[in-house]
Every structure is written in structure tokens, then in C-alpha cells.
Amino acid sequence: MHPFDGKLQRRVLPMLFGMLLLIQVTLVGALELAGMNYSTTYTARPHIVSFQMGPPFFRMSGGIAFTQTAIGEDGWTLKDLHYDSERVDGDRLQATLERNGQLTTVQAHIFDWQLVPLVNFVRASDGESAVTLFGELVDKEAERRVRSDKNMIINFHPAFENTLLGLRLLQADLLLIDRRAADLFKDEGQYILGTGEIQPTEEDVIANRARFDTVRAWLSAQDDRVQSYVVGDIENPVSYRANDGRLRFSGAPRWFAWRDSDEVHIERLDVMVAVGLHKFLAESVGAATLAVAAIYDLPVRDARASQELYKYLVDQGSEEDSALAEELTNNVEKLHASLVRSLERLYKTHPEGKRFLNAAGRLEPQERSDFVDGVLRPVGEMGDHQWERVQTAWMEVIDDPRFREASRDFPVTYLTELSDRLSAMIAEENGINPTVYAALKTSMHYTALLKLYKQQDRAGFARLAAELSEVSATPQSPKDYAVKTPTVYPRGRDLRRLEQEGSDGSR
């Protein structure tokens, strides 16, 4: 044995043990859904967004939104809501309704873990959006790293932050985009369940996945392209009535689908160029040209090929080749037109806008040979490393606050008919995940009812909120479990690696 082996063992073994312990601590206590870990490390901004029927809400918030105020069916009106803590959880809320001058007290069915955050949501008076995947972090450098790894940032309305209902509403937002949402959230391998919920079996999860596949296959077969959606009650009334001593509701959750309007594509490109072009013009006109080519998804190798092909066509000059040359010319003209529009936009908003506009003039072709020499040749001369730099810079442009602000108002097309058919199909498929769908439906119904109650009787609503202020909204299982809602949705790289890079400052 080497004379230093004993010392090395005494020093290294404790270090190894400590590293193993650290790994163990990292692995346990992780919030996960169907094997994918969700990060609770980063601090997210509170999500307080008011609903307005327009592009900014759909593009910048989306997610889950509750916008309706309940209306009575068949002449029923709401008179009072009363909470009785002595009753069994799930039957503690009672509603007094009136019809034809007769008062009737009926049993509402909602559990404390649902009712408490919903009352807090309505009491806040700020915002109808409950959760979004288009959120922000407090730490902007962490936000940049999270976005660059293709992950999404989760923001909750404060009423749903660190609640089981918040987890369920997050899952509702994922039901159409992530097959893992067919399961339920776990921590340390144990399901997180509220009172009234039943732990799913393996067969249940398999059935949910089959429902997901069925809905996705149907959606893919539709002629309309769905870009995104908002889940909740948009343009979908919620009504209530008394029946057999119970409070009953009408109105199922709606997936309100939308897509870009047809004119958005060019507008988005122009804004991206306008925001990011100064990065490249500061380097050279050639770099600016490559930037425009990049934003139009024109790979550098294709630009080089176009340059060589164009030279050949101009030299040979047959009729068929002339038609192809004309097509190439038109493509370059489109690039130049976008460049000019973008520079004119910058001219008004950027201190160096005049210089940028002059640069555009240097790119303006006067005759065919100028297309090659002034536009395509600089692209062909730039190396692969410059191309990679441009691609990286464009990712930064997409995250630039100026682009995000400008893109808020890009017009959208509402797919109302498809939304109705899609929502009906999800209902037919038992909500894809029945546990999540039930929580979503309950939230939609009781938010609308609580809004009505607050609107009609502010003092009564304040009394109800005060009664619930000391009521626990913790899950039933695991016992004494404290929910920590996630702040990053892991679409990209493993979050543990990402968080480790953030903690040691590396990239």
C-alpha cells in the first residue's frame, strides 16, 4: 500500500459519502409527473392578468382562465352561501336559493382544498387567469437559461400558488399537449391527493393515455390548425339550479382554440428583424443580410447554392432558366422589402436608426447582377461560425422584451366551431384524466358562483372569506404534506442539470 493511501481514504471517503448524500437529497422530495421532474427552485412572478377578448391575453397569458359570473336557471336566484365547519368535508358549503318567493337551502359539493383557494381567487379582485406557461422568473438570468433550454416558465395567480388545486389546474393546461398529464403528480413516489380523490391504478393511467391519443389523433385530422388555446369558460356561460336538495350546475369546461391570423407571418418577421437587426448592422452589412436570411429560415448553405445557381442562370440565359432566375429575384426582393420595413421601424425608435436606413439603401438592387453582388454574395462569404452566432442572437431576440411587447398585438383567428367540437370530444373521453377534469370543472362552476355572490352581497362574501381564512387547504395524502407549486415546465433539458449550472455559475 502506498504510504499516503490511509490519509487519502480518511479524506476521500467522507467526501464521497457527502457527495452520495447530496445526490440522495437532490433525488428525493422531487415533484414529478409520470417520471418527469418539475422544478420548484426558481422564484416566479405572481400571475395577475385580467381577461380581455383580444390578442394580448391569448398570446401573453393563455393557460387557465375563469371569466364568467353564474346565472340562475328556471327563475332560481342566489341569496346566501354558508360554511359549516362541523359538517363533513365536501358538504360544508350550503347555498340558499329563491324561486317564486320561496327560499330553499341546498347542499353544495366542494372540498376545502378546492374551496379555500377559489374564495381567495375571487376575493383578490385582480385577474381572471389562474395559471400560465408563458410566465416570468424574478431572476432574469435564470429565466434566460430556462428559456434557452426550451423549457417553459409557470406562473400562478397567488391564490393557487402552493396549493393542490394549483397543481390540478396546471395539469388541466397540459392535458392536450403532454401525454404525461394522464397521470397525477407525485412526491417521493407518493401520489398527492385531495379529499375525495382516489389514487389511480396503473390501468387507470393506461386508459387516460388512450383517451389522450384518441383526442390528439382527432385534432390532428382537422383542417383547422390549432396554435394554442385557453382552458376555462370563455364565451361559455355557467348556470346553477336546485335539484333534489343539491346545488347543480350547467356548463362544461371549454378549450378555446386559436391560431395566428393569416397576415401575422410577415408582421412577426418584420418585428423580429426590427428588434434584432442593430446587432448585425453594427458588424457589417453582410451580417445584416445573413440575419434577414436567417429569420426567413434560409439556411446558409441554401443561400450559397442560390448564389451559384443565379450566376449560372444569368450566364446561360435560357427561357426556363430565366423563369427560375425570376423566382430567385423575387425571393431576394422579399428579403430586401422586409429589411427596409424593419429599418424604417428602427429609424423611429432607435438612436442609430438613420444609419441603419442608409445601410438599407446600400442593399437596394438596381439591376439583376446587383442581387448577386449586393445581397447573395455577402451571405456566401460568411462562415459557419458567424451563422451559428446569428442563430444564437435570434434566440435572444425572441426573448427580448421589445419583441415580446410588440408581438402581444399580432392578430389572432378564433376557432370557435372547432373549440366547441374539441371540448365536446374531451368531455366524451371523460376529460382525458377524470381526476384533473373534475377539479377543473368544479373550479369553473364555483368561481362563477362566488363571483355572483360577491357581486350581490359583498358583506356576505367577506363573512364567508373570513370564515375560510383559518381553514386548511392541504392535501389529504401524503399526511401533513406542504405543496410547493413548480415554476418550470420541463420541455427541454433535464432540470437538475440546468439548476446545477445555475448554482455554480457555469453554462
Side-chain angles (χ1 to χ4, degrees):
M1 178 180 289
H2 192 280
F4 294 109
D5 283 350
K7 293 182 179 179
L8 286 172
Q9 287 182 1
R10 289 194 296 272
R11 293 179 180 178
V12 173
L13 288 178
M15 292 174 61
L16 290 175
F17 177 78
M19 291 173 65
L20 290 172
L21 182 61
L22 177 61
I23 292 173
Q24 183 181 14
V25 169
T26 302
L27 294 178
V28 300
L31 184 68
E32 57 99 355
L33 181 61
M36 175 59 76
N37 293 318
Y38 279 64
S39 174
T40 58
T41 299
Y42 306 104
T43 302
R45 294 189 178 278
H47 182 62
I48 303 175
V49 178
S50 296
F51 173 75
Q52 288 186 335
M53 196 68 178
F57 181 85
F58 289 92
R59 292 191 178 280
M60 307 307 291
S61 181
I64 307 293
F66 302 119
T67 67
Q68 297 291 323
T69 300
I71 54 177
E73 292 182 18
D74 301 326
W76 288 106
T77 59
L78 176 67
K79 289 301 180 180
D80 190 33
L81 291 176
H82 174 68
Y83 180 82
D84 185 353
S85 60
E86 299 299 320
R87 298 176 69 89
V88 176
D89 191 5
D91 290 336
R92 291 171 178 163
L93 185 68
Q94 295 177 303
T96 300
L97 308 183
E98 182 182 26
R99 185 172 69 169
N100 299 328
Q102 297 292 320
L103 294 178
T104 302
T105 297
V106 294
Q107 185 65 59
H109 185 64
I110 183 171
F111 297 98
D112 288 352
W113 65 270
Q114 301 166 322
L115 181 60
V116 171
L118 290 175
V119 168
N120 290 336
F121 180 58
V122 174
R123 179 175 58 179
S125 299
D126 294 319
E128 287 81 22
S129 185
V131 60
T132 181
L133 295 173
F134 304 150
E136 301 178 47
L137 297 177
V138 172
D139 184 340
K140 289 304 175 183
E141 174 57 26
E143 181 177 313
R144 185 194 66 78
R145 293 189 301 108
V146 168
R147 292 188 191 280
S148 68
D149 282 304
K150 311 296 189 230
N151 296 311
M152 300 182 77
I153 297 169
I154 308 165
N155 283 177
F156 291 89
H157 187 282
F160 300 112
E161 188 175 359
N162 298 330
T163 68
L164 175 57
L165 189 57
L167 290 182
R168 294 290 178 260
L169 295 179
L170 170 60
Q171 266 194 265
D173 196 19
L174 298 175
L175 278 180
L176 268 187
I177 63 174
D178 193 335
R179 201 166 184 260
R180 292 171 298 210
D183 205 346
L184 295 177
F185 275 104
K186 296 179 182 177
D187 199 333
E188 297 188 35
Q190 188 172 354
Y191 279 110
I192 308 168
L193 301 171
T195 306
E197 294 185 320
I198 300 174
Q199 178 172 314
T201 64
E202 184 177 352
E203 290 74 16
D204 292 333
V205 176
I206 291 172
N208 293 348
R209 289 172 183 156
R211 296 185 185 106
F212 173 88
D213 293 341
T214 298
V215 174
R216 288 292 302 185
W218 178 87
L219 190 58
S220 298
Q222 304 309 301
D223 293 333
D224 281 322
R225 174 185 58 84
V226 175
Q227 182 171 335
S228 189
Y229 54 80
V230 178
V231 186
D233 59 9
I234 294 176
E235 295 187 344
N236 192 27
V238 174
S239 60
Y240 64 91
R241 66 190 182 280
N243 183 262
D244 293 333
R246 307 285 293 186
L247 180 65
R248 310 291 184 180
F249 291 93
S250 296
R254 189 184 195 198
W255 273 253
F256 194 93
W258 61 273
R259 63 169 173 81
D260 282 342
S261 296
D262 294 337
E263 65 270 25
V264 164
H265 179 63
I266 294 299
E267 187 171 353
R268 175 181 284 109
L269 297 179
D270 288 349
V271 172
M272 290 180 73
V273 174
V275 170
L277 199 57
H278 63 277
K279 298 177 184 291
F280 311 109
L281 279 167
E283 182 176 322
S284 69
V285 173
T289 306
L290 180 60
V292 178
I295 205 62
Y296 274 85
D297 298 321
L298 179 64
V300 67
R301 61 180 179 275
D302 293 344
R304 289 170 176 164
S306 298
Q307 175 194 2
E308 296 302 319
L309 177 61
Y310 187 84
K311 285 181 178 179
Y312 172 80
L313 295 176
V314 170
D315 292 340
Q316 299 303 313
S318 70
E319 290 186 8
E320 292 182 1
D321 291 342
S322 296
L324 185 54
E326 187 67 29
E327 182 180 351
L328 289 172
T329 299
N330 291 336
N331 287 339
V332 176
E333 286 176 336
K334 290 178 182 178
L335 294 179
H336 178 262
S338 175
L339 180 65
V340 172
R341 286 194 302 268
S342 302
L343 291 171
E344 288 175 345
R345 191 188 298 258
L346 274 180
Y347 180 75
K348 299 176 182 178
T349 60
H350 195 282
E352 296 186 84
K354 185 175 182 179
R355 183 170 69 86
F356 297 160
L357 199 58
N358 290 337
R362 295 201 299 274
L363 287 175
E364 185 171 4
Q366 301 300 319
E367 54 186 64
R368 281 189 169 182
S369 61
D370 291 338
F371 286 111
V372 176
D373 294 335
V375 179
L376 291 178
R377 181 179 54 77
V379 173
E381 291 175 349
M382 300 194 73
D384 290 341
H385 69 285
Q386 292 168 305
W387 170 256
E388 293 174 1
R389 187 193 68 78
V390 167
Q391 288 182 312
T392 300
W394 279 124
M395 289 302 300
E396 296 174 0
V397 168
I398 292 173
D399 287 333
D400 191 297
R402 290 172 297 177
F403 174 75
R404 290 168 61 85
E405 182 65 27
S407 65
R408 289 168 53 93
D409 296 314
F410 291 162
V412 301
T413 297
Y414 304 126
L415 306 174
T416 52
E417 181 180 348
L418 185 142
S419 298
D420 292 338
R421 293 162 58 205
L422 172 61
S423 303
M425 182 162 195
I426 292 173
E428 290 173 5
E429 293 295 330
N430 211 2
I432 299 178
N433 186 327
T435 300
V436 173
Y437 190 79
L440 171 65
K441 195 172 184 179
T442 295
S443 299
M444 169 182 161
H445 290 164
Y446 280 91
T447 296
L449 186 74
L450 289 165
K451 284 184 177 181
L452 175 64
Y453 187 46
K454 179 181 177 182
Q455 189 179 91
Q456 293 182 166
D457 186 353
R458 287 190 170 272
F461 179 84
R463 170 187 49 76
L464 176 65
E467 290 173 347
L468 288 165
S469 63
E470 302 298 325
V471 174
S472 172
T474 57
Q476 183 182 49
S477 175
K479 187 177 180 181
D480 299 325
Y481 179 78
V483 175
K484 178 72 172 174
T485 43
T487 53
V488 177
Y489 169 49
R491 291 196 310 173
R493 260 195 316 170
D494 184 81
L495 290 174
R496 292 174 187 159
R497 179 179 173 187
L498 182 67
E499 291 165 1
Q500 180 60 36
E501 289 176 351
S503 65
D504 62 18
S506 62
R507 181 71 179 98

